[in-house]
Coordinates of all heavy atoms in Angstrom, one line a residue:
M1048 N -3.5 -10.7 -36.6 CA -2.6 -10.7 -35.4 C -1.7 -11.9 -35.5 O -2.2 -13.0 -35.7 CB -3.4 -10.7 -34.1 CG -2.5 -10.7 -32.9 SD -3.4 -10.7 -31.3 CE -4.3 -9.2 -31.4
S1049 N -0.4 -11.7 -35.3 CA 0.5 -12.9 -35.4 C 0.3 -13.8 -34.2 O -0.2 -13.4 -33.2 CB 1.9 -12.3 -35.5 OG 2.3 -11.8 -34.2
Q1050 N 0.8 -15.0 -34.3 CA 0.7 -16.0 -33.2 C 1.4 -15.5 -32.0 O 0.9 -15.6 -30.9 CB 1.3 -17.3 -33.7 CG 1.1 -18.4 -32.6 CD -0.3 -18.7 -32.2 OE1 -1.2 -18.5 -32.9 NE2 -0.5 -19.1 -30.9
S1051 N 2.6 -14.8 -32.1 CA 3.3 -14.4 -31.0 C 2.6 -13.2 -30.2 O 2.6 -13.2 -29.0 CB 4.7 -13.9 -31.4 OG 4.7 -12.8 -32.3
A1052 N 1.9 -12.4 -31.0 CA 1.1 -11.3 -30.4 C -0.1 -11.9 -29.6 O -0.4 -11.5 -28.5 CB 0.6 -10.3 -31.4
K1053 N -0.7 -13.0 -30.2 CA -1.8 -13.6 -29.5 C -1.4 -14.2 -28.2 O -2.1 -14.3 -27.2 CB -2.4 -14.7 -30.4 CG -3.3 -14.2 -31.5 CD -3.9 -15.3 -32.2 CE -4.8 -14.8 -33.3 NZ -5.3 -15.9 -34.1
E1054 N -0.2 -14.8 -28.1 CA 0.3 -15.4 -26.9 C 0.5 -14.4 -25.8 O 0.5 -14.8 -24.6 CB 1.7 -16.1 -27.2 CG 1.5 -17.3 -28.1 CD 2.8 -17.8 -28.6 OE1 3.9 -17.4 -28.0 OE2 2.8 -18.7 -29.5
L1055 N 0.6 -13.1 -26.0 CA 0.8 -12.2 -25.0 C -0.5 -11.5 -24.5 O -0.5 -10.7 -23.6 CB 1.7 -11.0 -25.5 CG 3.1 -11.5 -25.9 CD1 3.9 -10.3 -26.5 CD2 3.8 -12.1 -24.8
T1056 N -1.7 -11.9 -25.0 CA -2.9 -11.4 -24.5 C -3.3 -11.9 -23.2 O -2.9 -13.0 -22.8 CB -4.0 -11.6 -25.5 OG1 -4.3 -13.0 -25.6 CG2 -3.7 -11.1 -26.9
A1057 N -4.1 -11.2 -22.4 CA -4.5 -11.6 -21.1 C -5.3 -12.9 -21.1 O -5.2 -13.7 -20.2 CB -5.3 -10.5 -20.4
E1058 N -6.1 -13.0 -22.2 CA -6.9 -14.2 -22.3 C -6.1 -15.5 -22.4 O -6.5 -16.6 -21.9 CB -7.9 -14.1 -23.5 CG -8.9 -13.1 -23.3 CD -8.4 -11.7 -23.7 OE1 -7.4 -11.6 -24.4 OE2 -9.0 -10.7 -23.1
S1059 N -5.0 -15.4 -23.0 CA -4.2 -16.6 -23.2 C -3.1 -16.8 -22.2 O -2.4 -17.8 -22.2 CB -3.6 -16.6 -24.6 OG -2.6 -15.5 -24.7
S1060 N -2.9 -15.8 -21.3 CA -1.9 -15.9 -20.3 C -2.2 -16.9 -19.2 O -3.3 -17.0 -18.7 CB -1.7 -14.5 -19.6 OG -0.9 -14.6 -18.5
P1061 N -1.2 -17.8 -18.9 CA -1.4 -18.8 -17.8 C -1.8 -18.1 -16.5 O -2.6 -18.6 -15.8 CB -0.1 -19.5 -17.7 CG 0.7 -19.2 -19.0 CD 0.1 -17.9 -19.5
R1062 N -1.2 -16.9 -16.2 CA -1.5 -16.2 -15.0 C -3.0 -15.8 -15.0 O -3.6 -15.9 -13.9 CB -0.6 -15.0 -14.8 CG 0.8 -15.4 -14.5 CD 1.6 -14.2 -14.3 NE 3.0 -14.6 -14.1 CZ 3.9 -13.8 -13.6 NH1 3.6 -12.6 -13.2 NH2 5.1 -14.3 -13.5
A1063 N -3.5 -15.3 -16.1 CA -4.9 -14.9 -16.1 C -5.8 -16.0 -15.8 O -6.9 -15.9 -15.2 CB -5.2 -14.2 -17.5
T1064 N -5.5 -17.2 -16.3 CA -6.4 -18.4 -16.1 C -6.3 -19.0 -14.7 O -7.1 -19.7 -14.3 CB -6.2 -19.4 -17.2 OG1 -4.8 -19.9 -17.1 CG2 -6.5 -18.9 -18.6
H1065 N -5.2 -18.6 -14.0 CA -5.0 -19.2 -12.7 C -5.1 -18.1 -11.6 O -4.6 -18.3 -10.5 CB -3.6 -19.8 -12.6 CG -3.5 -21.0 -13.5 ND1 -2.9 -21.0 -14.7 CD2 -4.0 -22.3 -13.3 CE1 -3.0 -22.2 -15.3 NE2 -3.6 -23.0 -14.5
Y1066 N -5.8 -17.1 -11.9 CA -6.0 -16.0 -10.9 C -6.8 -16.5 -9.7 O -7.9 -17.2 -9.8 CB -6.8 -14.8 -11.5 CG -7.1 -13.7 -10.6 CD1 -6.0 -12.9 -10.1 CD2 -8.3 -13.5 -10.2 CE1 -6.3 -11.9 -9.3 CE2 -8.6 -12.4 -9.3 CZ -7.6 -11.6 -8.8 OH -7.8 -10.6 -8.0
D1067 N -6.3 -16.3 -8.5 CA -7.0 -16.8 -7.3 C -8.1 -15.8 -6.9 O -7.9 -14.7 -6.5 CB -6.0 -16.8 -6.1 CG -6.6 -17.4 -4.8 OD1 -7.7 -17.8 -4.8 OD2 -5.8 -17.4 -3.8
R1068 N -9.3 -16.3 -7.1 CA -10.5 -15.5 -6.8 C -11.2 -16.0 -5.4 O -12.4 -15.9 -5.3 CB -11.5 -15.6 -7.9 CG -11.0 -15.0 -9.2 CD -12.0 -15.2 -10.3 NE -11.3 -14.9 -11.6 CZ -11.4 -13.7 -12.2 NH1 -12.1 -12.8 -11.6 NH2 -10.8 -13.5 -13.3
S1069 N -10.4 -16.5 -4.5 CA -10.9 -17.1 -3.3 C -11.2 -16.1 -2.2 O -11.7 -16.5 -1.2 CB -9.9 -18.1 -2.8 OG -8.7 -17.5 -2.4
V1070 N -10.9 -14.8 -2.4 CA -11.3 -13.9 -1.3 C -12.8 -13.8 -1.2 O -13.5 -13.6 -2.2 CB -10.7 -12.5 -1.7 CG1 -11.2 -11.5 -0.6 CG2 -9.2 -12.5 -1.7
S1071 N -13.3 -14.1 0.0 CA -14.7 -14.1 0.2 C -15.0 -13.1 1.3 O -14.1 -12.8 2.1 CB -15.2 -15.5 0.5 OG -14.6 -16.0 1.7
G1072 N -16.2 -12.8 1.4 CA -16.6 -11.8 2.5 C -16.4 -10.4 2.1 O -16.2 -10.1 0.9
P1073 N -16.5 -9.5 3.0 CA -16.4 -8.0 2.7 C -15.0 -7.6 2.1 O -14.0 -8.2 2.5 CB -16.7 -7.4 4.0 CG -16.4 -8.3 5.1 CD -16.6 -9.7 4.5
F1074 N -15.1 -6.6 1.3 CA -13.9 -6.0 0.7 C -13.3 -5.0 1.8 O -14.0 -4.1 2.2 CB -14.3 -5.2 -0.5 CG -13.2 -4.5 -1.2 CD1 -12.1 -5.1 -1.7 CD2 -13.3 -3.1 -1.4 CE1 -11.1 -4.5 -2.4 CE2 -12.3 -2.4 -2.1 CZ -11.2 -3.1 -2.6
R1075 N -12.1 -5.3 2.3 CA -11.5 -4.4 3.3 C -10.1 -4.0 2.8 O -9.1 -4.6 3.2 CB -11.4 -5.2 4.6 CG -12.7 -5.4 5.3 CD -12.6 -6.0 6.6 NE -12.0 -7.4 6.5 CZ -12.8 -8.5 6.3 NH1 -14.0 -8.4 6.2 NH2 -12.2 -9.7 6.2
P1076 N -10.0 -3.0 2.0 CA -8.8 -2.5 1.4 C -8.0 -1.7 2.4 O -8.6 -1.1 3.4 CB -9.2 -1.6 0.2 CG -10.5 -1.1 0.7 CD -11.2 -2.2 1.4
C1077 N -6.7 -1.6 2.3 CA -5.8 -0.8 3.1 C -4.8 -0.1 2.2 O -4.2 -0.8 1.3 CB -5.1 -1.6 4.2 SG -4.0 -0.6 5.2
A1078 N -4.5 1.1 2.3 CA -3.5 1.8 1.6 C -2.2 1.8 2.4 O -2.3 2.1 3.6 CB -3.9 3.2 1.2
L1079 N -1.1 1.4 1.8 CA 0.2 1.4 2.5 C 1.1 2.5 1.9 O 1.3 2.5 0.7 CB 0.8 0.0 2.3 CG 2.3 -0.2 2.8 CD1 2.4 0.2 4.3 CD2 2.7 -1.6 2.6
V1080 N 1.5 3.4 2.7 CA 2.2 4.6 2.3 C 3.6 4.6 3.0 O 3.7 5.0 4.2 CB 1.4 5.9 2.6 CG1 2.2 7.1 2.0 CG2 0.0 5.8 2.0
P1081 N 4.7 4.3 2.3 CA 6.0 4.5 2.9 C 6.3 5.9 2.8 O 6.1 6.6 1.8 CB 6.9 3.6 2.1 CG 6.2 3.6 0.7 CD 4.8 3.6 1.0
A1082 N 6.9 6.5 3.9 CA 7.2 7.9 3.9 C 8.5 8.3 4.6 O 8.8 7.7 5.6 CB 6.0 8.7 4.5
Y1083 N 9.3 9.1 4.0 CA 10.5 9.6 4.6 C 10.6 11.1 4.4 O 10.6 11.6 3.2 CB 11.7 8.9 4.1 CG 13.0 9.3 4.6 CD1 13.3 9.1 6.0 CD2 13.9 10.1 3.9 CE1 14.5 9.5 6.5 CE2 15.1 10.5 4.4 CZ 15.4 10.2 5.7 OH 16.6 10.7 6.3
Q1084 N 10.7 11.9 5.4 CA 10.9 13.4 5.3 C 9.7 13.9 4.4 O 10.0 14.7 3.6 CB 12.2 13.7 4.8 CG 13.4 13.2 5.5 CD 13.6 13.7 6.9 OE1 12.8 13.4 7.8 NE2 14.6 14.6 7.2
S1085 N 8.5 13.5 4.7 CA 7.4 13.9 3.8 C 6.3 14.7 4.5 O 5.2 14.7 4.2 CB 6.7 12.6 3.3 OG 7.6 11.8 2.6
E1086 N 6.7 15.5 5.5 CA 5.8 16.3 6.3 C 4.9 17.2 5.4 O 3.8 17.5 5.7 CB 6.4 17.1 7.4 CG 7.3 18.2 6.9 CD 8.0 19.0 8.1 OE1 7.8 18.6 9.3 OE2 8.7 19.9 7.8
S1087 N 5.5 17.7 4.3 CA 4.8 18.7 3.5 C 3.7 18.0 2.5 O 2.9 18.7 2.0 CB 5.7 19.5 2.7 OG 6.4 18.7 1.7
T1088 N 3.8 16.7 2.4 CA 2.9 16.0 1.4 C 2.0 14.9 2.0 O 1.0 14.6 1.5 CB 3.7 15.4 0.2 OG1 4.7 14.5 0.7 CG2 4.4 16.5 -0.6
V1089 N 2.5 14.3 3.1 CA 1.8 13.1 3.6 C 0.4 13.3 4.0 O -0.5 12.5 3.8 CB 2.7 12.4 4.6 CG1 2.7 13.1 6.0 CG2 2.2 10.9 4.8
G1090 N 0.1 14.5 4.7 CA -1.2 14.7 5.1 C -2.2 14.8 4.0 O -3.3 14.2 4.1
E1091 N -1.9 15.5 2.9 CA -2.8 15.6 1.8 C -3.0 14.3 1.1 O -4.1 13.9 0.7 CB -2.2 16.6 0.8 CG -3.1 16.9 -0.4 CD -2.5 18.0 -1.3 OE1 -1.7 18.8 -0.9 OE2 -3.0 18.1 -2.4
V1092 N -1.9 13.5 1.0 CA -2.0 12.1 0.4 C -3.0 11.3 1.3 O -3.9 10.6 0.7 CB -0.6 11.4 0.4 CG1 -0.8 9.9 0.0 CG2 0.2 12.1 -0.7
V1093 N -2.9 11.3 2.6 CA -3.7 10.5 3.5 C -5.2 11.0 3.3 O -6.1 10.2 3.2 CB -3.3 10.6 4.9 CG1 -4.3 10.0 5.9 CG2 -1.9 9.9 5.1
V1094 N -5.4 12.3 3.3 CA -6.8 12.8 3.2 C -7.4 12.4 1.9 O -8.5 11.9 1.8 CB -6.8 14.4 3.3 CG1 -8.1 14.9 2.8 CG2 -6.5 14.8 4.7
G1095 N -6.6 12.4 0.8 CA -7.1 11.9 -0.5 C -7.4 10.4 -0.5 O -8.5 10.0 -1.0
L1096 N -6.6 9.6 0.1 CA -6.8 8.2 0.2 C -8.0 7.8 1.0 O -8.8 6.9 0.7 CB -5.6 7.5 0.7 CG -4.4 7.4 -0.2 CD1 -3.1 7.0 0.6 CD2 -4.7 6.5 -1.3
R1097 N -8.2 8.6 2.1 CA -9.3 8.2 3.0 C -10.7 8.5 2.3 O -11.7 8.1 2.9 CB -9.2 9.0 4.3 CG -8.0 8.3 5.1 CD -7.9 8.8 6.5 NE -9.2 8.9 7.2 CZ -9.7 7.9 8.0 NH1 -9.2 6.7 8.0 NH2 -10.9 8.1 8.6
Q1098 N -10.7 9.2 1.2 CA -11.9 9.4 0.5 C -12.3 8.0 -0.2 O -13.5 7.9 -0.6 CB -11.8 10.5 -0.6 CG -11.6 11.8 0.0 CD -11.4 12.9 -1.0 OE1 -11.7 12.7 -2.2 NE2 -10.8 14.0 -0.6
S1099 N -11.3 7.1 -0.4 CA -11.6 5.9 -1.1 C -11.4 4.6 -0.2 O -12.0 3.6 -0.5 CB -10.7 5.7 -2.3 OG -10.9 6.8 -3.2
V1100 N -10.6 4.7 0.8 CA -10.3 3.6 1.7 C -10.4 4.0 3.1 O -10.1 5.1 3.5 CB -9.0 2.9 1.4 CG1 -8.9 2.3 0.0 CG2 -7.8 3.8 1.7
S1101 N -10.9 3.1 4.0 CA -11.1 3.5 5.4 C -9.8 3.4 6.2 O -9.7 4.0 7.2 CB -12.2 2.7 6.0 OG -11.9 1.3 6.0
R1102 N -8.9 2.6 5.7 CA -7.7 2.4 6.5 C -6.5 2.8 5.7 O -6.3 2.3 4.5 CB -7.5 0.9 6.9 CG -6.3 0.6 7.8 CD -6.3 -0.8 8.2 NE -5.1 -1.0 9.0 CZ -4.5 -2.2 9.1 NH1 -5.0 -3.3 8.6 NH2 -3.4 -2.3 9.8
V1103 N -5.7 3.6 6.2 CA -4.4 4.1 5.6 C -3.3 3.8 6.6 O -3.4 4.3 7.7 CB -4.4 5.6 5.2 CG1 -3.1 6.0 4.6 CG2 -5.6 5.8 4.2
L1104 N -2.3 3.1 6.3 CA -1.1 2.9 7.1 C 0.1 3.6 6.5 O 0.5 3.3 5.4 CB -0.8 1.4 7.2 CG 0.5 1.0 8.0 CD1 0.4 1.5 9.4 CD2 0.8 -0.5 7.9
V1105 N 0.6 4.5 7.2 CA 1.8 5.3 6.8 C 3.0 4.7 7.6 O 2.9 4.6 8.9 CB 1.7 6.8 7.1 CG1 3.0 7.5 6.8 CG2 0.6 7.4 6.2
V1106 N 4.0 4.2 6.9 CA 5.2 3.8 7.6 C 6.2 4.9 7.5 O 6.8 5.2 6.4 CB 5.8 2.5 6.9 CG1 7.0 2.0 7.7 CG2 4.7 1.4 6.9
D1107 N 6.5 5.5 8.6 CA 7.5 6.6 8.7 C 8.9 6.0 8.8 O 9.2 5.3 9.9 CB 7.2 7.5 9.8 CG 8.1 8.7 10.0 OD1 9.2 8.7 9.3 OD2 7.9 9.6 10.7
D1108 N 9.7 6.1 7.8 CA 11.0 5.4 7.7 C 12.1 6.2 8.4 O 13.1 6.5 7.8 CB 11.3 5.1 6.3 CG 12.5 4.2 6.1 OD1 12.8 3.5 7.0 OD2 13.1 4.3 5.0
G1109 N 11.8 6.5 9.7 CA 12.9 7.2 10.5 C 13.0 8.7 10.2 O 14.1 9.3 10.4
S1110 N 12.0 9.4 9.8 CA 12.0 10.8 9.5 C 12.4 11.6 10.7 O 12.0 11.3 11.8 CB 10.7 11.3 8.9 OG 10.3 10.6 7.8
S1111 N 13.1 12.7 10.5 CA 13.4 13.6 11.6 C 12.5 14.8 11.6 O 12.6 15.7 12.4 CB 14.9 14.1 11.5 OG 15.1 14.8 10.2
D1112 N 11.6 14.9 10.6 CA 10.6 16.0 10.5 C 9.3 15.6 11.1 O 9.2 14.6 11.9 CB 10.4 16.5 9.1 CG 9.8 15.5 8.1 OD1 9.5 14.3 8.6 OD2 9.7 15.8 6.9
Q1113 N 8.2 16.2 10.8 CA 6.9 15.9 11.4 C 6.0 15.0 10.5 O 4.8 15.1 10.6 CB 6.2 17.2 11.6 CG 6.8 18.1 12.6 CD 6.8 17.5 14.0 OE1 5.8 17.0 14.5 NE2 8.0 17.4 14.6
T1114 N 6.7 14.1 9.8 CA 5.9 13.2 8.9 C 4.9 12.4 9.7 O 3.7 12.3 9.3 CB 6.9 12.2 8.2 OG1 7.7 13.0 7.3 CG2 6.2 11.1 7.4
S1115 N 5.3 11.8 10.8 CA 4.4 10.9 11.6 C 3.2 11.8 12.1 O 2.0 11.4 12.0 CB 5.1 10.3 12.8 OG 6.0 9.3 12.4
A1116 N 3.5 12.9 12.7 CA 2.4 13.8 13.2 C 1.5 14.2 12.2 O 0.2 14.2 12.4 CB 3.1 15.0 13.9
E1117 N 1.9 14.6 11.0 CA 1.1 15.0 9.9 C 0.2 13.9 9.4 O -1.0 14.0 9.1 CB 1.9 15.6 8.8 CG 2.5 17.0 9.1 CD 1.5 18.0 9.5 OE1 0.4 18.1 8.8 OE2 1.8 18.8 10.4
A1118 N 0.8 12.7 9.3 CA 0.0 11.5 8.9 C -1.1 11.2 9.9 O -2.2 10.9 9.5 CB 0.9 10.3 8.7
E1119 N -0.8 11.2 11.2 CA -1.8 11.0 12.2 C -2.9 12.0 12.2 O -4.1 11.7 12.3 CB -1.1 10.9 13.6 CG -0.3 9.6 13.8 CD 0.4 9.6 15.2 OE1 0.5 10.7 15.8 OE2 0.8 8.5 15.6
R1120 N -2.5 13.3 12.1 CA -3.4 14.4 12.0 C -4.4 14.2 10.9 O -5.6 14.6 11.0 CB -2.7 15.7 11.9 CG -3.6 16.9 12.0 CD -2.7 18.2 12.1 NE -1.8 18.3 13.2 CZ -0.5 18.4 13.2 NH1 0.1 18.4 12.0 NH2 0.2 18.4 14.2
A1121 N -4.0 13.6 9.8 CA -4.8 13.4 8.6 C -5.7 12.2 8.7 O -6.5 11.9 7.9 CB -4.0 13.4 7.4
G1122 N -5.4 11.4 9.8 CA -6.3 10.2 10.0 C -5.7 8.8 9.7 O -6.4 7.8 9.6
A1123 N -4.3 8.8 9.5 CA -3.7 7.5 9.2 C -3.2 6.8 10.5 O -3.0 7.4 11.5 CB -2.4 7.8 8.3
E1124 N -3.1 5.5 10.3 CA -2.4 4.7 11.3 C -1.0 4.9 11.0 O -0.6 4.8 9.8 CB -2.9 3.3 11.2 CG -2.2 2.2 12.0 CD -2.6 0.8 11.7 OE1 -3.7 0.6 11.0 OE2 -1.9 -0.1 12.1
V1125 N -0.1 5.0 12.0 CA 1.3 5.2 11.7 C 2.2 4.2 12.4 O 2.0 3.9 13.5 CB 1.8 6.7 12.2 CG1 3.3 6.8 12.0 CG2 1.0 7.7 11.4
L1126 N 3.1 3.6 11.6 CA 4.1 2.7 12.1 C 5.4 3.5 11.9 O 5.8 3.8 10.8 CB 4.1 1.4 11.3 CG 5.2 0.4 11.5 CD1 5.2 0.0 13.0 CD2 5.1 -0.8 10.6
R1127 N 6.1 3.7 13.0 CA 7.4 4.5 12.9 C 8.6 3.6 13.0 O 8.7 2.9 14.0 CB 7.4 5.6 14.0 CG 8.6 6.5 14.0 CD 8.3 7.8 14.5 NE 9.4 8.6 14.8 CZ 10.2 9.2 13.8 NH1 9.9 9.0 12.6 NH2 11.2 9.9 14.1
M1128 N 9.4 3.7 12.0 CA 10.7 2.9 12.1 C 11.7 3.8 12.9 O 11.7 5.0 12.9 CB 11.3 2.7 10.7 CG 10.2 2.1 9.7 SD 9.9 0.4 10.0 CE 11.3 -0.3 9.1
S1129 N 12.5 3.1 13.7 CA 13.5 3.8 14.6 C 14.6 4.5 13.8 O 15.2 5.4 14.3 CB 14.0 2.8 15.6 OG 14.7 1.8 15.0
A1130 N 14.9 4.0 12.6 CA 15.9 4.6 11.8 C 15.5 4.4 10.3 O 14.6 3.7 10.0 CB 17.3 3.8 12.0
N1131 N 16.2 5.2 9.4 CA 15.9 5.2 8.0 C 16.5 3.9 7.5 O 17.7 3.7 7.3 CB 16.5 6.4 7.3 CG 16.2 6.4 5.8 OD1 17.2 6.4 5.0 ND2 15.0 6.3 5.4
L1132 N 15.7 2.9 7.1 CA 16.1 1.6 6.6 C 15.8 1.4 5.1 O 16.2 0.4 4.6 CB 15.5 0.5 7.4 CG 15.7 0.5 8.9 CD1 14.9 -0.6 9.6 CD2 17.2 0.4 9.2
G1133 N 15.2 2.4 4.5 CA 14.9 2.4 3.1 C 13.5 2.0 2.8 O 12.8 1.4 3.6
K1134 N 13.1 2.3 1.6 CA 11.7 2.0 1.1 C 11.3 0.6 1.2 O 10.2 0.2 1.6 CB 11.5 2.6 -0.3 CG 10.1 2.5 -0.8 CD 9.9 3.1 -2.1 CE 8.5 3.1 -2.6 NZ 8.4 3.8 -3.9
G1135 N 12.2 -0.3 0.8 CA 11.9 -1.7 0.8 C 11.6 -2.2 2.2 O 10.7 -3.0 2.5
A1136 N 12.4 -1.8 3.2 CA 12.2 -2.2 4.6 C 10.9 -1.6 5.1 O 10.1 -2.3 5.9 CB 13.4 -1.8 5.5
A1137 N 10.6 -0.4 4.7 CA 9.3 0.2 5.2 C 8.1 -0.5 4.6 O 7.1 -0.8 5.3 CB 9.3 1.7 4.7
L1138 N 8.2 -0.9 3.3 CA 7.1 -1.7 2.7 C 7.0 -3.0 3.4 O 5.9 -3.5 3.6 CB 7.4 -1.9 1.2 CG 7.2 -0.6 0.3 CD1 7.7 -0.8 -1.1 CD2 5.7 -0.2 0.3
R1139 N 8.1 -3.7 3.6 CA 8.0 -5.0 4.3 C 7.4 -4.9 5.7 O 6.5 -5.7 6.1 CB 9.4 -5.7 4.4 CG 9.9 -6.3 3.1 CD 11.1 -7.1 3.2 NE 12.2 -6.3 3.7 CZ 13.1 -5.6 3.0 NH1 12.9 -5.6 1.7 NH2 14.1 -5.0 3.5
A1140 N 7.8 -3.9 6.4 CA 7.2 -3.7 7.8 C 5.7 -3.4 7.7 O 4.9 -4.0 8.5 CB 8.0 -2.6 8.5
G1141 N 5.3 -2.5 6.8 CA 3.9 -2.2 6.7 C 3.1 -3.4 6.2 O 2.0 -3.6 6.7
L1142 N 3.6 -4.1 5.2 CA 2.9 -5.3 4.7 C 2.8 -6.3 5.8 O 1.7 -7.0 5.9 CB 3.7 -5.8 3.5 CG 2.9 -6.7 2.5 CD1 1.6 -6.1 2.1 CD2 3.7 -7.0 1.3
A1143 N 3.8 -6.5 6.6 CA 3.7 -7.5 7.7 C 2.5 -7.1 8.6 O 1.7 -8.0 9.1 CB 5.0 -7.6 8.5
R1144 N 2.4 -5.8 9.0 CA 1.3 -5.4 9.8 C -0.1 -5.6 9.1 O -1.0 -6.1 9.8 CB 1.4 -4.0 10.2 CG 0.2 -3.5 11.1 CD 0.3 -2.3 11.8 NE 1.4 -2.2 12.8 CZ 1.6 -1.2 13.5 NH1 0.9 -0.1 13.4 NH2 2.6 -1.2 14.4
I1145 N -0.2 -5.3 7.9 CA -1.4 -5.4 7.2 C -1.8 -6.9 7.0 O -3.0 -7.2 7.2 CB -1.4 -4.7 5.8 CG1 -1.2 -3.2 6.0 CG2 -2.6 -5.0 4.9 CD1 -0.9 -2.4 4.8
L1146 N -0.9 -7.7 6.7 CA -1.2 -9.1 6.5 C -1.6 -9.8 7.8 O -2.3 -10.8 7.7 CB 0.0 -9.9 5.9 CG 0.3 -9.5 4.4 CD1 1.6 -10.2 4.0 CD2 -0.8 -9.8 3.5
S1147 N -1.3 -9.2 8.9 CA -1.7 -9.8 10.2 C -3.1 -9.3 10.6 O -3.6 -9.6 11.7 CB -0.7 -9.6 11.3 OG -0.6 -8.2 11.6
S1148 N -3.7 -8.4 9.8 CA -5.0 -7.8 10.1 C -6.0 -8.5 9.2 O -5.8 -9.5 8.5 CB -4.9 -6.3 9.8 OG -4.9 -6.1 8.4
D1149 N -7.2 -7.9 9.2 CA -8.3 -8.5 8.4 C -8.4 -7.8 7.0 O -9.4 -8.0 6.3 CB -9.6 -8.3 9.1 CG -10.0 -6.9 9.3 OD1 -9.2 -6.0 9.1 OD2 -11.2 -6.6 9.7
A1150 N -7.4 -7.1 6.6 CA -7.4 -6.5 5.3 C -7.4 -7.5 4.2 O -6.8 -8.6 4.3 CB -6.2 -5.6 5.1
T1151 N -8.2 -7.3 3.1 CA -8.3 -8.2 2.0 C -7.5 -7.8 0.8 O -7.1 -8.6 -0.1 CB -9.7 -8.4 1.5 OG1 -10.3 -7.1 1.2 CG2 -10.6 -9.0 2.6
H1152 N -7.1 -6.4 0.7 CA -6.4 -5.9 -0.4 C -5.5 -4.8 0.1 O -5.8 -4.1 1.1 CB -7.4 -5.3 -1.5 CG -8.2 -6.3 -2.1 ND1 -9.3 -6.9 -1.5 CD2 -8.1 -6.9 -3.3 CE1 -9.9 -7.8 -2.3 NE2 -9.2 -7.8 -3.4
V1153 N -4.4 -4.6 -0.6 CA -3.4 -3.5 -0.3 C -3.1 -2.7 -1.5 O -2.8 -3.3 -2.6 CB -2.1 -4.1 0.2 CG1 -1.1 -3.0 0.6 CG2 -2.3 -5.0 1.4
A1154 N -3.1 -1.4 -1.4 CA -2.7 -0.5 -2.4 C -1.4 0.2 -1.9 O -1.4 0.7 -0.8 CB -3.8 0.6 -2.7
F1155 N -0.4 0.2 -2.7 CA 0.9 0.8 -2.4 C 0.9 2.2 -3.0 O 0.7 2.4 -4.2 CB 2.0 0.0 -3.0 CG 2.1 -1.4 -2.4 CD1 1.5 -2.5 -3.0 CD2 2.8 -1.6 -1.2 CE1 1.6 -3.7 -2.5 CE2 2.9 -2.9 -0.7 CZ 2.3 -3.9 -1.3
V1156 N 1.0 3.2 -2.2 CA 1.0 4.6 -2.6 C 2.1 5.4 -2.0 O 2.4 5.3 -0.9 CB -0.4 5.3 -2.2 CG1 -0.4 6.7 -2.7 CG2 -1.6 4.5 -2.6
D1157 N 2.8 6.2 -2.9 CA 3.9 7.0 -2.4 C 3.4 8.3 -1.8 O 2.4 8.9 -2.2 CB 4.9 7.3 -3.5 CG 5.8 6.1 -3.8 OD1 6.0 5.2 -3.0 OD2 6.2 6.0 -5.0
A1158 N 4.1 8.8 -0.7 CA 3.8 10.1 -0.1 C 4.4 11.2 -0.9 O 4.0 12.3 -0.9 CB 4.3 10.1 1.3

């Protein structure tokens, strides 16, 4: 293996050696699902996620359909944006809520 290829391995990466392993206590993951006009898919996504994580937060980005209702029906916590502000804004809003909670990890999942 060439020297340049060795430099790209995880073992030699500065990030790999400086990984913050300070999370202590119980593992409390949360799935963050930004959704817009997703009434036909969001419920199934939430049901699938709840098989692996106990908390699912769906951020409804101003949908005019039944996205929020379907997400709630499937067992998700729902944060509803008053207008469609885009996926980035939905992710920021959801992440702000999650970071103010006791969640230790976040999984980003599309609806």
